[in-house]
Amino acid sequence: GEIIASNDLILHGDSKGTAVTKYSGTQKIITDSTSTTNFRLREMGRGTGIETYNLKKGTTYASGVDFTDADNTWNNVNANKDEVATDAHWGAEMTYDYFNGEHGRNSFDNNGAKILSYIHYSSNYNNAFWNGSVMTYGDGDGTTFTPLTALDVCGHEIAHAVTTNTANLVYSYESGALNESFSDVFGQSIEIWARPTQWNWKIGEDITPSGKGIRNMADPSATGYSQPKFYKGNKWYTGAGD
């Protein structure tokens, strides 16, 4: 009756990991186990999956490779800043959970679409963006921005995907301003929802070395910020640039 050997028929399975993130402290994440000593930032439990890849400062998505860890405790601080990958992975998980739990939405298309995130895009790239298919995060130049994988930025970018699949607001003139504004509203909401003891009304405060952020939801036209508080109000912009 003694078991002398066993062989797993399920070769890949979701595992509960621990992530020491750059911006949000230590958080629980779900990863994929390919062996007892190899884990990667993929999971299948939310929609059709959440996957996070390393572009190694390239710009070709097909060249993305897995981030890996030997013991599923992700504390990958190194010269490449690989620790920020878990910020993006956890941020995507929390964004999925927020839209699912608060709004009954199954991923950004409400049909369980896979959320793909690509980290280390290009070199010193000062932006993050949704390109219509995937999320992309630059590392920043260290002066204007640090790696752009903070929670409110993740929520903001994935919310663009929600807008693409709902209102599809053209990214120009006032429809573009609305598109961008809705992403700020959701990004801020997700930060409060997932990080209830660590949030403020600034957008991108974690990724700006000064902590100032790039927008202020409490006072949009405060000194140093360029948005109006009201429609046609002070600092109103007119033109094609959203």
Side-chain angles (χ1 to χ4, degrees):
E2 182 182 356
I3 297 173
I4 59 172
S6 64
N7 183 33
D8 289 334
L9 298 181
I10 299 176
L11 300 181
H12 304 285
D14 284 350
S15 302
K16 294 180 180 179
T18 300
V20 182
T21 70
K22 178 175 176 63
Y23 300 118
S24 298
T26 301
Q27 301 291 345
K28 296 298 183 183
I29 59 172
I30 300 298
T31 66
D32 179 48
S33 169
T34 62
S35 76
T36 57
T37 57
N38 191 69
F39 301 86
R40 57 189 181 177
L41 294 179
R42 304 190 195 187
E43 68 138 291
M44 291 296 295
R46 293 170 167 93
T48 55
I50 292 175
E51 300 177 2
T52 305
Y53 293 100
N54 186 357
L55 283 178
K56 294 187 172 181
K57 298 185 180 181
T59 58
T60 303
Y61 296 107
S63 299
V65 298
D66 282 300
F67 291 94
T68 61
D69 188 83
D71 61 5
N72 217 11
T73 297
W74 298 73
N75 190 15
N76 300 348
V77 179
N78 56 32
N80 295 321
K81 305 174 185 174
D82 286 342
E83 69 273 18
V84 305
T86 55
D87 287 90
H89 193 71
W90 178 72
E93 291 178 334
M94 292 302 97
T95 299
Y96 177 94
D97 289 351
Y98 167 81
F99 277 111
N100 186 253
E102 298 299 316
H103 304 289
R105 190 170 186 82
N106 182 11
S107 193
F108 56 78
D109 67 346
N110 201 29
N111 197 34
K114 185 177 292 185
I115 300 176
L116 298 170
S117 300
Y118 289 84
I119 318 302
H120 301 322
Y121 178 86
S122 192
S123 181
N124 298 324
Y125 189 73
N126 277 321
N127 205 356
F129 58 89
W130 155 252
N131 73 351
S133 301
V134 303
M135 314 301 154
T136 309
Y137 299 93
D139 286 335
D141 60 12
T143 301
T144 304
F145 295 118
T146 54
L148 286 94
T149 56
L151 178 59
D152 57 359
V153 179
C154 295
H156 174 108
E157 298 307 333
I158 297 171
H160 276 308
V162 174
T163 296
T164 296
N165 284 273
T166 53
N168 196 25
L169 291 164
V170 175
Y171 205 66
S172 182
Y173 292 96
E174 289 189 17
S175 60
L178 288 169
N179 190 327
E180 191 67 15
S181 295
F182 287 137
S183 277
D184 274 357
V185 169
F186 282 119
Q188 182 62 54
S189 298
I190 290 160
E191 181 179 273
I192 296 169
W193 184 85
R195 228 171 58 177
T197 62
Q198 183 194 349
W199 65 272
N200 59 47
W201 290 113
K202 298 174 183 177
I203 297 292
E205 71 278 7
D206 293 334
I207 62 170
T208 49
S210 67
K212 177 178 176 290
I214 54 178
R215 289 182 287 281
N216 186 330
M217 301 291 278
D219 191 358
S221 61
T223 301
Y225 299 96
S226 59
Q227 286 71 44
K229 290 183 180 180
F230 310 107
Y231 188 74
K232 302 286 188 181
N234 185 36
K235 300 186 179 180
W236 183 261
Y237 168 82
T238 301
D242 63 282

